[in-house]
Amino acid sequence: MKNTIAIGIQWGDEGKGKIVDLLAPQADVVARFQGGPNAGHTLVIGTQKTVLHHVPSGILHDETLCLIGNGTVVDAAELKAEIDLLQASGVPVAERLRVSDRCQLILPYHRALDAAREVARGSERIGTTGRGIGPCYEDKASRRGIRLCDLNAANLSERIDTNLHYVNFMLTEFLKAEPVSREEVEEALELARQHVLPLAADVTIILHQQQQAGACILFEGAQGTMLDIDHGTYPFVTSSNTVAGAALAGLGVGPNAASEILGIAKAYMTRVGAGPFPTELYNANGMNDASGRHMAEAGHEFGSTTGRPRRTGWFDALVTRHAVRINGITALAITKLDVLDGLDEVKLCTGYRIDGELIDHIPADAAVFDRCEPIYESMPGWKESTFGVTDVEQLPATARAFLTRIENLCEAPVQMISTGPDREHICHVK
Ligand code: GDP
Ligand code: IMO
Ligand code: MG
């Protein structure tokens, strides 16, 4: 395998964890470059299910070095809990994982701000994961952030004082929420000192050495292109760049570090949290189309991090084409094909209609995007089960036709087709 950036190209939860885990044996290094515990990446091996939030999805493989890059935001308590769980099941995480000394720490006041801001937004809320992601990236950009390498800084105490002064003013005066205590913050810092600092490293040096030794590097994205802070449905997005380009800055490697960009997409779409979703069919707020309900039920569409029900809808080829362009996608992995088994027809969105006009791109303004009506192409569905199929030739002809149409509309070749949650449930397209 060539160095590959594997990213989600819808609204997250495309099955990145599964795909990265199954590619990991071909890689020497698996590295996360953005996001934090808002991610929930599921790995299924037989009866064992592992949900990873911080730790890269290569961790279950003996020979794989896992790296968490400078572009991520790390919650020490969450990372410790994840490491403990993995170690309890026999995975020697401490040997396999290194965390960038430059990554930003999520502190209790970030979570408090995240929660209070969502309450203040009322009906305009983003539906964040509540993990403090936005406020932490905000501190990074405003240069107030506390990084892993700052834990032993001489001026740390003064910086915390200044931050708490500001944050508690915001919380109590502006957001009418409870303040955060110095003790809570000290506790979080101590946890980071004890459990994350021992894993700290200059990840850029490790990667450089690996590159010089000819190692294969797999870059693992979190979230998806439509949640990217620049290219997604702003403001209903996460607070980091989730696109392939972010892999470079988020790990400190040059633009020539990867030649393959794998775009991962479900054979339909889901979204968790608020924001436009033109092909939406089904949600917890009363949209109740039968095909959408089928996707939610057969696909077990509940958030891996928050457990919230996911909104479901038809595959939107405009979204995917947007992602192919922005990320320089060289191949697609289509997941959850099996979830569409049994539907009479399957649909693909090929355009939008707005105010009587036809458009074939994603509008910049979320309010405009929200008003777009999808134009569909309908194709026959398939009654046969594709669950667990590992050979493309064994897929029903109608399913293959659907995938070929996706390929044509998205202008990128389908390289992998996932037919179930397990590592083994995969068709490789030759
Ligand atoms: P990620 O965030 O992109 O890693 O995706 P999540 O793990 O949040 O959500 C994907 C869900 O779909 C998980 O429960 C996976 O186990 C499951 N999954 C992944 N691929 C497939 C597939 O091809 N078929 C089915 N039925 N489930 C899948
Ligand atoms: P993975 O890596 C799906 C969504 C939230 C919300 C928005 C902002 O598992 O695909 P945040 O907490 O980041 O400030 O929330 O982004 N979101 C995700 N949706 N999968 C994810 O990660 C997500 N991470 C964040 O639901 O709409
Ligand atoms: Mg997920």
Side-chain angles (χ1 to χ4, degrees):
M1 188 171 73
K2 293 183 182 155
N3 289 359
T4 301
I5 302 176
I7 46 164
I9 56 173
Q10 294 166 327
W11 276 288
D13 302 329
E14 297 90 348
K16 298 176 291 292
K18 176 197 161 146
I19 299 292
V20 169
D21 167 65
L22 83 86
L23 290 177
Q26 299 173 55
D28 302 291
V29 180
V30 178
R32 278 275 307 269
F33 51 88
Q34 48 70 232
N38 47 350
H41 296 183
T42 314
L43 282 49
V44 178
I45 297 117
T47 53
Q48 188 202 349
K49 177 173 158 177
T50 309
V51 182
L52 300 170
H53 303 285
H54 274 114
V55 175
S57 299
I59 198 71
L60 301 184
H61 299 274
D62 295 344
E63 305 294 323
T64 310
L65 174 64
C66 288
L67 300 174
I68 296 180
N70 56 277
T72 65
V73 287
V74 172
D75 184 317
E78 295 256 3
L79 179 55
K80 177 190 181 303
E82 206 171 317
I83 293 174
D84 286 351
L85 216 65
L86 285 163
Q87 304 228 115
S89 62
V91 182
V93 183
E95 287 168 26
R96 294 184 194 162
L97 178 70
R98 291 294 170 267
V99 183
S100 168
D101 49 9
R102 289 158 171 86
C103 73
Q104 298 280 326
L105 293 176
I106 301 179
L107 294 174
Y109 50 78
H110 294 129
R111 275 185 179 242
L113 275 172
D114 195 358
R117 291 223 177 99
E118 284 285 90
V119 171
R121 276 178 156 265
S123 63
E124 296 297 302
R125 87 182 74 87
I126 290 161
T128 71
T129 59
R131 298 298 189 271
I133 306 295
C136 187
Y137 275 116
E138 207 178 306
D139 276 7
K140 173 181 180 175
S142 67
R143 291 153 291 182
R144 277 192 301 269
I146 309 294
R147 299 174 301 165
L148 193 51
C149 61
D150 297 330
L151 283 172
N152 294 324
N155 65 352
L156 180 65
S157 187
E158 288 83 358
R159 285 166 62 187
I160 295 291
D161 280 341
T162 311
N163 285 1
L164 270 177
H165 189 70
Y166 168 73
V167 161
N168 281 335
F169 174 80
M170 291 286 284
L171 283 169
T172 56
E173 298 297 319
F174 190 64
L175 296 161
K176 307 296 174 208
E178 291 298 313
V180 170
S181 72
R182 173 93 203 193
E183 291 69 43
E184 276 176 83
V185 178
E186 288 296 348
E187 226 172 88
L189 293 171
E190 194 45 37
L191 207 84
R193 237 176 242 119
Q194 279 185 27
H195 300 282
V196 188
L197 206 51
L199 302 174
D202 186 329
V203 161
T204 67
I205 294 177
I206 299 177
L207 276 173
H208 189 68
Q209 286 166 346
Q210 291 282 340
Q211 283 173 309
Q212 283 188 318
C216 174
I217 304 164
L218 178 55
F219 302 83
E220 175 181 7
Q223 292 81 53
T225 296
M226 295 308 280
L227 290 169
D228 181 278
I229 190 153
D230 289 298
H231 301 287
T233 49
Y234 190 90
F236 301 99
V237 291
T238 192
S239 297
S240 66
N241 282 115
T242 62
V243 291
L248 314 176
L251 279 159
V253 291
N256 52 356
S259 55
E260 302 296 311
I261 321 284
L262 181 67
I264 304 166
K266 281 176 185 164
Y268 52 99
M269 312 278 269
T270 63
R271 175 164 203 167
V272 55
F277 180 2
T279 62
E280 182 169 22
L281 298 171
Y282 178 84
N283 62 37
N285 298 325
M287 278 184 99
N288 195 18
D289 174 273
S291 300
R293 194 169 59 246
H294 173 101
M295 293 163 192
E297 287 170 1
H300 306 289
E301 294 297 354
F302 292 92
S304 310
T305 295
T306 58
R308 292 179 292 175
R310 295 178 182 143
R311 304 154 65 190
T312 63
W314 292 119
F315 188 95
D316 187 335
L318 266 67
V319 159
T320 323
R321 202 158 57 214
H322 170 78
V324 166
R325 192 174 65 241
I326 285 165
N327 295 293
I329 299 291
T330 55
L332 296 169
I334 302 296
T335 63
K336 303 191 96 161
L337 182 72
D338 54 296
V339 172
L340 299 182
D341 293 354
L343 293 174
D344 292 328
E345 61 166 359
V346 286
K347 291 186 183 178
L348 294 159
C349 171
T350 57
Y352 303 134
R353 186 175 287 114
I354 180 156
D355 301 330
E357 243 183 81
L358 296 183
I359 57 169
D360 64 357
H361 63 274
I362 309 292
D365 182 343
V368 175
F369 192 30
D370 203 32
R371 289 197 295 115
C372 283
E373 287 169 35
I375 298 166
Y376 288 119
E377 208 172 276
S378 172
M379 299 183 74
W382 52 93
K383 294 293 170 199
E384 303 91 325
S385 169
T386 66
F387 186 79
V389 169
T390 54
D391 178 358
V392 185
E393 300 301 321
Q394 301 299 315
L395 293 173
T398 38
R400 275 184 280 142
F402 179 65
L403 293 163
T404 303
R405 190 66 188 128
I406 287 181
E407 216 165 35
N408 293 339
L409 287 167
C410 303
E411 296 166 5
V414 173
Q415 196 174 69
M416 276 185 264
I417 304 151
S418 174
T419 54
D422 197 278
R423 197 191 259 175
E424 306 289 326
H425 299 156
I426 194 80
C427 301
H428 293 277
V429 181
K430 280 149 208 120

